[in-house]
Amino acid sequence: MISSSLKQHLYWAWSISKGYRSKLFFYFILELICIVLSLVFVYLSKKAVDTATSPGELPLKWLLIGIIGAIALNVGIKGYSGRLMERIKLMLTLELQRTMLDAQMLSIWKLIKNWHTGDIQIRIQTDCEEVANTIANTFLSFILTAIQLLASVGFLWYMDPMLALMILAISPLFVFSKLYFRKMRKLSKEVKEEESNFSKVLQENLRFRLLIRAMGAFPKRRAKLTESQEQLFRLKIRQLNFSTYTQGAMKVAMNAGYLVAFIWGIYRLQSGQISFGTMTAFLQLVARIQSPILALISYIPGFVRFRVSADRLLELQAGEIEPQVTPQRLHETQELRINDLSFRYEDKWVLQDLNLSLKAGEPTAIIGPSGKGKTTLIRLLLALLKAEKGQISLVDKDGERPLAANHRVNFAYIPQGNSLFSGTIRENMLLHVKESGPLDIQQALHIACAEFVFDLPEGIDTQIGESGIGLSEGQAQRIAIARGLMHNGDIWLFDEVTSALDRTTADTLIQRLLEYGKHKLCLFVTHDLHLADRCQQRIYLD
């Protein structure tokens, strides 16, 4: 995992806060007002006690009214600022999660293959929340707490410098040591990494739960999950123990400081060096000094978690991202040309010097054993991969142009296997088109031999589960084909379109596709020789 400097983390956090800075500044001002009101309350309390024991210039009634007013105003502002902070934090979390998700959705293939879905999920869910909480809350709270501490110490110094010095001298500031930071960061990093590992196992177990049971692999997969849980538990216990020990040491030091300062205050009160009001104010200010110190110390784990989460998100965001461009629909695409196309994964060539011409009305079949580049070719045609050398170009009535990502809108792609999303069949069918498109749902389902949809209890509004649960593999495949046809691109890319179908249904499907797509550029990647025989051009990859 990358490890950035504190300066880089702060610069990144500042860039994320853009758009929220005015709201955060307003929150900061409200909290400053609350700090002032709390000190006003202490001052008026001192005056009230002194007036009650020895009448002064101001009537006790007005002092009590001032105390009540300071408390009421403080409570009201605190309630509003707390709600404002939670709203900012929620909005910032959602925006950061969208940014990270977009970065992954648009990452180039070389980056996508390096990330596990479970790891990405835990980073987007927990790390984004950790970073947003630190930016919107912890940073400002740390500054406000420091201001409150300095103001309280200043007020106490004004009343009795010796008491202020004693409180500060005994407070456990030693925990701000570099050793503490280093230990906390190491523990936080280990916990975060194991959380990602646990999420990987959990995601795979849930995704393949039926397959795991069918293979009799449940005991092993459950054991793997339990092992990850136990490791995560051990790491969190280590983190908890370290936090408990350090917090305990801080509380011991705090209580010792309070007792010494309290005894000193009693002594000075008895000797007549301070008034009852000063002693009352002192007792309140001690809490207002020691509580901020504890709060400042409690922020340290949050800052450490922020830095670990920032590293994980910066790593997630790093790398090449496909730029967003305006889709360019071609006019009556006539030909797709592949010239000397070559591609490799690391050191293994899967395509070398491939030449191919797809023409409208002349369906082509790509045939060959697994691992010879058939699926890679489709990814190249969809501009999801970049070729090592060679060129792919499109020809329409306006001429020839190199293939680019903005031409993807011209392709109707039907992938191999189940590619349906949870929701209704209608939602799947209208994934990237409007209902009033060139091809209506009923016609697309007919061409794809998916008329069975109309016999389902809710028809096209029937709910289907994750990855098409509730449908057979063949049914899900035919709905996916119909969905691709709804796109109505000039170029059809079919990846093993008949793999889950019986021979009769497959033959009917091929007939309907070729008939409806007689003016399309059709490419079938297939092992089905019956389908290959129906194509005018057959390319063998070996």
Side-chain angles (χ1 to χ4, degrees), residues 27 29-34 37 70-83:
Y27 166 80
I29 296 299
L30 292 177
E31 289 295 311
L32 281 180
I33 293 174
C34 288
L37 288 172
I71 293 174
L73 191 56
N74 196 330
V75 170
I77 294 176
K78 274 286 186 182
Y80 177 78
S81 66
R83 181 181 178 278

Side-chain angles (χ1 to χ4, degrees), residues 86-128:
E86 290 301 317
R87 181 179 175 83
I88 294 172
K89 188 165 62 177
L90 180 59
M91 293 169 61
L92 189 57
T93 300
L94 295 177
E95 182 174 333
L96 186 57
Q97 287 177 335
R98 285 194 296 268
T99 300
M100 292 298 148
L101 182 59
D102 289 347
Q104 279 302 301
M105 295 293 289
L106 298 174
S107 292
I108 63 173
W109 170 256
K110 289 182 180 179
L111 295 178
I112 292 175
K113 67 184 180 67
N114 293 331
W115 289 98
H116 191 286
T117 307
D119 186 15
I120 295 173
Q121 285 179 327
I122 201 71
R123 294 188 189 216
I124 289 177
Q125 290 170 355
T126 64
D127 291 316
C128 284

Side-chain angles (χ1 to χ4, degrees), residues 102-263:
D102 289 347
Q104 279 302 301
M105 295 293 289
L106 298 174
S107 292
I108 63 173
W109 170 256
K110 289 182 180 179
L111 295 178
I112 292 175
K113 67 184 180 67
N114 293 331
W115 289 98
H116 191 286
T117 307
D119 186 15
I120 295 173
Q121 285 179 327
I122 201 71
R123 294 188 189 216
I124 289 177
Q125 290 170 355
T126 64
D127 291 316
C128 284
E129 188 173 349
E130 190 76 57
V131 168
N133 180 64
T134 303
I135 293 173
N137 187 11
T138 309
F139 279 149
L140 289 181
S141 295
F142 184 87
I143 296 172
L144 288 165
T145 303
I147 292 173
Q148 181 183 352
L149 173 61
L150 293 174
S152 299
V153 170
F155 202 163
L156 185 57
W157 182 281
Y158 167 75
M159 292 191 302
D160 193 316
M162 185 58 68
L163 286 177
L165 287 174
M166 290 179 66
I167 289 291
L168 289 178
I170 302 173
S171 297
L173 299 177
F174 61 87
V175 295
F176 285 91
S177 67
K178 188 174 182 180
L179 179 63
Y180 180 84
F181 273 97
R182 188 183 299 122
K183 180 68 173 178
M184 281 297 299
R185 189 171 188 183
K186 180 176 181 294
L187 289 172
S188 296
K189 183 180 293 186
E190 290 175 349
V191 168
K192 288 288 187 181
E193 289 174 352
E194 191 55 42
E195 282 178 342
S196 289
N197 184 57
F198 172 73
S199 183
K200 292 177 186 178
V201 180
L202 179 62
Q203 190 267 345
E204 288 178 349
N205 280 6
L206 291 174
R207 181 182 179 188
F208 299 113
R209 54 191 180 273
L210 294 181
L211 176 62
I212 289 170
R213 285 163 54 194
M215 295 174 64
F218 175 71
K220 284 192 174 183
R221 292 299 303 183
R222 190 178 189 278
K224 187 175 179 67
L225 185 69
T226 302
E227 180 184 354
S228 179
Q229 281 182 314
E230 291 175 348
Q231 176 64 10
L232 184 58
F233 175 78
R234 286 191 292 269
L235 290 172
K236 287 194 172 184
I237 289 296
R238 284 176 56 195
Q239 192 178 43
L240 176 63
N241 289 341
F242 181 74
S243 179
T244 301
Y245 296 150
T246 53
Q247 290 288 335
M250 286 186 280
K251 288 177 181 178
V252 168
M254 279 294 184
N255 286 323
Y258 175 78
L259 286 173
V260 172
F262 178 75
I263 293 171

